[in-house]
Amino acid sequence: MVEKEVERTIDALLEERREFEPPKEFTAQANANDPSIYEHAQKDPEAWWESQAERLSWSKKWDKVLEWNPPHQEWFVGGKLNASYNCLDRHLEESGDRIAYHWIGEPGDARSISYQELHAEVCKLANALKELGVQKGDRVAIYLPMIPELPASMLACARIGAVHSVVFGGFSAGSLRDRINDADCKILITADGGYRRGQNVPLKENADEALAETESIEKVIVVKRTTDDVAMSDGRDIVYSDLLESQSDKCEPEEMDAEDMLYVLYTSGTTGKPKGIVHTTGGYLTGVSSTHHLIFDIKPDSDVYWCAADIGWVTGHSYIVYGPLANGCTSILYEGAPDYPDKDRYWSIVEEYKATILYTAPTAIRAMMKWGVDYPQKHDLSSLRLLGSVGEPINPEAWIWYQEFIGAGKAPVVDTWWQTETGAIMISALPGITKLKPGSATVPFPGVVADVVDEKGEPVGPGSGGYLVLKRPAPAMMRTIFGDDDRYRETYFERYGDETYFPGDGARLDDEGYYWLLGRVDDVMNVAGHRLSTYEVESALVAHESVAEAAVVGRTDPKEGQAIVAFVTPRSGHEGNEDLSKELRQHVGKAIGKIARPQSIIFTDDLPKTRSGKIMRRLLRDVADGNELGDVTTLQNAPILDEIKKKADSQADDKDDK
Ligand code: PRX
């Protein structure tokens, strides 16, 4: 983020000064209600994390808590455990009948699955995977809608020590192909399709297209979710239910080392190639179980917890699958869109299932604000006792609306900052202890050591903007980038040295040590809480025959956080008009996924460049946001900016007219 933007954001945040002490009744029953937890963790972070690792069941205890060879870290060295055992088996004796997931399909079908039932399904699939030749360490790609078979597939992999790579169902064939190839996956688990806003998402068709350009996949397991007929390739494709039919519902969990890989999950970086973030078993499970217990104040006996993210993103991995299941709680798993069939879908689910905790993204909250309070007010939301937010900075206005209209003015709102790379929440309130300030993610979780520093790594102190850093390892942190440890070092540690993790976010500290997150400082955009690199979208655009050059920036958007704006120079013989704009949007949707389609495309004969030919995105961002232009003295072709600005302004006027 450029400095001017940072200042503006700080000014806006400073205007919001309301504070909320934890309600007494909440504190009285909270899992975390003793503030000395912070002191203990600060004095001896390793002892703290060790106490959290004890929440899990280990088949062999670790010999050493932390082995830190910066920039690498290993946790609970020598310890052995299995993630699926921790998420399922250990709950069976006392609470096998407890519901693990109340699953709700978008068309209205629903199913509640107990821990016992989920365990049986996971064992059957684990046995089937073994029969198909999957061995410990092999990678399995999963491309499924939000159906119970998705967590079951992840846990089946974990059970036999295979590494899962879940690819979000909204991604295109091309994105799936690249992820399968990068991790060299052996098996793909997909579905005939899924439902989204009443439409059928053709997952199998996309998968077939992806598989035409992958060599590693030996078998494809296809869950029947829709009634559509899909092509099945003889000898390669197997129907999920047929495969499970003959399998035993018992399968010994594989004993895994704490540092064995649990999964890889791809996320956007600043280049065109997504990074395969590697998470291991013991530290990751410790981090997600501990944060889920303390931040969401989970009471497995009575809570109905709902994280409304998609499992295809890290939020779903950590706070729909591994955290909640490790803690033995009951979750809601909803397949579809918040506005289908109407804009009160979430609230009818909360009412029907008496959800007690809701965790969602600012972009969803802002959409609901726009739809109006009539929708939530039609429903009884009195069961909700705690609310969470994740994925992007939440503006104070949305925070207050969420607390007021969804939380009846009394439910604490925990704004949780973290990333695919950190695996678990790093900055958040503990709702029974921490005073809340709308717009601030508050303070680092116990055992997490953070700071805000300047370019040189010097702490900026209270009041000014700077860069967020993490100064100590934490167990759920990524271990490396799959197959590319150099990129791991360069991306996260080159800037401040091997001991200081640089997440790529701007932040400000206030005089009480609260963190105010200010958004990304690199070329990563955050669209509706999803990460995309400008470069990825540019690569997709220039791959189109009519595009000579493209520059992409994120424009501040009141609903989505950021919206994608593309500046495109057409090749000679091609005209930049509405038809081409439509075609390019479709093209990007097909190349990456619908979320990556630019909201606006501005055609221009040239792009603003420095004398060395570097595109000045900073200036394009100013144009997109309608701000005064920054310094243009280093430009080799300054006049082009006026032209671009005129076009952008006239597009904005067109939009206003509509
Ligand atoms: O910029 C931060 C933003 O989302 C980025 C991480 O994106 P991803 O890996 O896709 O994970 C999203 C879900 C954990 C961060 O670098 N971000 C996430 N949570 C917050 C946030 N920004 C401000 N406040 C948050 N609570």
Side-chain angles (χ1 to χ4, degrees):
M1 202 191 266
V2 287
E3 242 160 65
K4 250 196 314 173
E5 277 173 59
V6 170
E7 276 165 27
R8 261 196 301 274
T9 316
I10 290 177
D11 288 346
L13 289 173
L14 283 175
E15 279 166 24
E16 175 53 58
R17 291 184 190 280
R18 265 174 290 183
E19 298 181 349
F20 298 88
E21 292 291 347
K24 285 202 178 64
E25 323 75 74
F26 193 99
T27 304
Q29 58 80 61
N31 289 349
N33 55 15
D34 178 0
S36 71
I37 189 175
Y38 286 103
E39 269 160 62
H40 292 309
Q42 196 181 4
K43 244 187 240 151
D44 192 346
E46 287 173 36
W48 156 256
W49 286 121
E50 184 162 38
S51 73
Q52 297 307 291
E54 278 156 11
R55 302 179 47 76
L56 304 175
S57 303
W58 298 76
S59 52
K60 177 180 172 288
K61 198 173 163 165
W62 51 92
D63 307 313
K64 192 170 180 206
V65 178
L66 170 65
E67 185 75 58
W68 188 16
N69 295 311
H72 291 110
Q73 52 182 304
E74 291 188 348
W75 285 85
F76 311 115
V77 181
K80 306 270 183 204
L81 77 170
N82 179 282
S84 98
Y85 178 90
N86 271 280
C87 289
L88 300 169
D89 306 50
R90 68 178 181 143
H91 307 311
L92 295 187
E93 201 169 311
E94 275 188 21
S95 24
D97 291 337
R98 181 178 298 153
I99 300 302
Y101 292 115
H102 289 298
W103 174 75
I104 301 141
E106 194 187 74
D109 43 347
R111 184 149 73 96
S112 292
I113 302 131
S114 68
Y115 272 88
Q116 191 75 58
E117 287 163 339
L118 186 59
H119 176 266
E121 173 131 352
V122 166
C123 286
K124 285 184 187 178
L125 181 56
N127 285 326
L129 289 174
K130 280 207 269 194
E131 210 173 87
L132 295 177
V134 179
Q135 293 178 354
K136 186 174 166 181
D138 284 345
R139 268 83 58 207
V140 173
I142 303 177
Y143 183 57
L144 284 173
M146 286 279 284
I147 52 178
E149 288 81 354
L150 174 48
S153 298
M154 294 159 77
L155 293 169
C157 291
R159 194 158 192 92
I160 62 173
V163 173
H164 58 72
S165 168
V166 177
V167 179
F168 170 54
F171 274 133
S172 65
S175 299
L176 175 63
R177 173 201 60 210
D178 294 347
R179 286 157 175 76
I180 289 175
N181 287 339
D182 190 74
D184 205 19
C185 297
K186 194 167 177 175
I187 300 273
L188 170 66
I189 307 179
T190 186
D192 50 2
Y195 296 107
R196 185 78 192 173
R197 223 163 253 124
Q199 305 274 316
N200 187 343
V201 185
L203 293 173
K204 179 63 164 60
E205 219 176 284
N206 292 348
D208 284 338
E209 198 182 321
L211 293 180
E213 292 173 36
T214 58
E215 281 175 9
S216 55
I217 296 288
E218 294 170 10
K219 296 280 177 205
V220 180
I221 302 173
V222 184
V223 179
K224 289 275 184 199
R225 166 67 186 124
T226 68
T227 47
D228 287 7
D229 264 342
V230 292
M232 295 289 282
S233 160
D234 249 1
R236 187 196 71 183
D237 300 353
I238 317 156
V239 174
Y240 179 96
S241 52
D242 295 350
L243 184 68
L244 263 61
E245 209 169 31
S246 55
Q247 300 295 340
S248 154
D249 59 5
K250 301 213 164 34
C251 173
E252 251 329 279
E254 184 81 27
E255 187 176 65
M256 303 296 284
D257 193 274
E259 281 298 324
D260 277 335
M261 209 189 298
L262 177 62
Y263 69 80
V264 54
L265 179 61
Y266 286 81
T267 188
S268 295
T270 49
T271 71
K273 189 171 178 268
K275 304 175 280 199
I277 303 299
V278 169
H279 284 293
T280 56
T281 309
Y284 174 77
L285 265 193
T286 299
V288 296
S289 155
S290 165
T291 49
H292 185 252
H293 174 72
L294 295 171
I295 295 168
F296 296 112
D297 192 48
I298 292 297
K299 312 282 190 293
D301 286 341
S302 52
D303 273 320
V304 178
Y305 159 87
W306 184 13
C307 168
D310 193 291
I311 294 177
W313 306 100
V314 75
T315 306
H317 279 58
S318 299
Y319 297 108
I320 299 179
V321 182
Y322 288 108
L325 294 178
N327 291 341
C329 85
T330 296
S331 291
I332 288 171
L333 182 64
Y334 169 55
E335 179 185 34
D339 53 352
Y340 189 86
D342 204 350
K343 298 184 175 69
D344 62 346
R345 187 68 190 266
Y346 274 18
W347 317 127
S348 72
I349 292 174
V350 167
E351 181 173 16
E352 183 176 350
Y353 290 88
K354 301 206 169 14
T356 56
I357 300 160
L358 176 66
Y359 188 31
T360 187
T363 188
I365 299 165
R366 287 192 296 262
M368 287 157 184
M369 277 173 78
K370 209 175 108 205
W371 297 337
V373 293
D374 287 355
Y375 289 104
Q377 284 179 345
K378 268 199 291 194
H379 297 275
D380 176 6
L381 308 182
S382 59
S383 53
L384 286 171
R385 66 182 191 90
L386 178 63
L387 302 172
S389 169
V390 61
E392 54 184 310
I394 178 165
N395 46 313
E397 199 193 348
W399 194 107
I400 297 281
W401 186 90
Y402 194 29
Q403 189 207 40
E404 189 62 36
F405 294 105
I406 308 305
K410 65 176 183 7
V413 175
V414 286
D415 172 9
T416 61
W417 179 90
W418 59 296
Q419 311 178 292
T420 309
E421 290 88 338
T422 68
I425 296 167
M426 295 282 128
I427 302 180
S428 165
L430 293 178
I433 298 178
T434 320
K435 176 176 72 181
L436 303 175
K437 303 185 188 182
S440 166
T442 73
V443 295
F445 188 74
V448 173
V449 181
D451 205 348
V452 179
V453 300
D454 64 14
E455 294 281 348
K456 295 197 187 79
E458 295 300 326
V460 296
S464 355
Y467 303 101
L468 177 68
V469 290
L470 301 178
K471 305 194 83 153
R472 271 194 64 86
M477 285 288 291
M478 72 188 299
R479 297 298 187 260
T480 186
I481 291 175
F482 191 86
D484 199 349
D485 196 53
D486 287 344
R487 192 172 174 196
Y488 166 77
R489 288 170 180 272
E490 283 158 21
T491 311
Y492 306 104
F493 298 96
E494 199 157 69
R495 193 160 171 142
Y496 294 122
D498 285 351
E499 292 183 14
T500 305
Y501 172 80
F502 173 55
D505 277 40
R508 176 180 73 86
L509 274 176
D510 70 14
D511 47 16
E512 287 185 301
Y514 275 52
Y515 286 72
W516 298 75
L517 276 307
L518 302 172
R520 303 287 310 185
V521 293
D522 53 14
D523 287 330
V524 174
M525 297 176 288
N526 193 327
V527 180
H530 300 317
R531 247 165 92 168
L532 284 165
S533 87
T534 51
Y535 191 82
E536 255 175 303
V537 182
E538 285 167 10
S539 309
L541 283 168
V542 295
H544 191 275
E545 53 173 16
S546 67
V547 176
E549 205 169 30
V552 165
V553 300
R555 166 171 65 205
T556 312
D557 184 89
K559 185 166 153 257
E560 316 245 287
Q562 284 189 310
I564 303 175
V565 180
F567 297 85
V568 170
T569 309
R571 270 182 203 283
S572 63
H574 293 269
E575 201 192 328
N577 54 23
E578 276 231 350
D579 286 346
L580 182 57
S581 186
K582 229 188 241 165
E583 190 177 325
L584 290 178
R585 277 171 45 78
Q586 257 173 18
H587 167 79
V588 174
K590 191 150 173 30
I592 305 171
K594 279 189 183 167
I595 46 163
R597 288 181 308 189
Q599 191 187 65
S600 21
I601 297 181
I602 295 163
F603 292 104
T604 164
D605 295 338
D606 200 0
L607 293 164
K609 288 182 196 139
T610 59
R611 289 191 185 87
S612 57
K614 203 168 161 248
I615 296 172
M616 295 279 278
R617 282 203 191 72
R618 176 169 63 76
L619 294 172
L620 291 172
R621 228 174 305 168
D622 285 340
V623 172
D625 275 334
N627 295 332
E628 225 172 274
L629 296 182
D631 183 10
V632 297
T633 48
T634 53
L635 281 189
Q636 53 150 319
N637 55 348
I640 194 69
L641 263 178
D642 292 331
E643 219 174 282
I644 296 177
K645 213 167 162 341
K646 262 189 227 140
K647 285 190 183 156
D649 291 346
S650 82
Q651 260 201 14
D653 291 345
D654 283 356
K655 239 188 174 173
D656 292 344
D657 292 344
K658 274 177 198 162

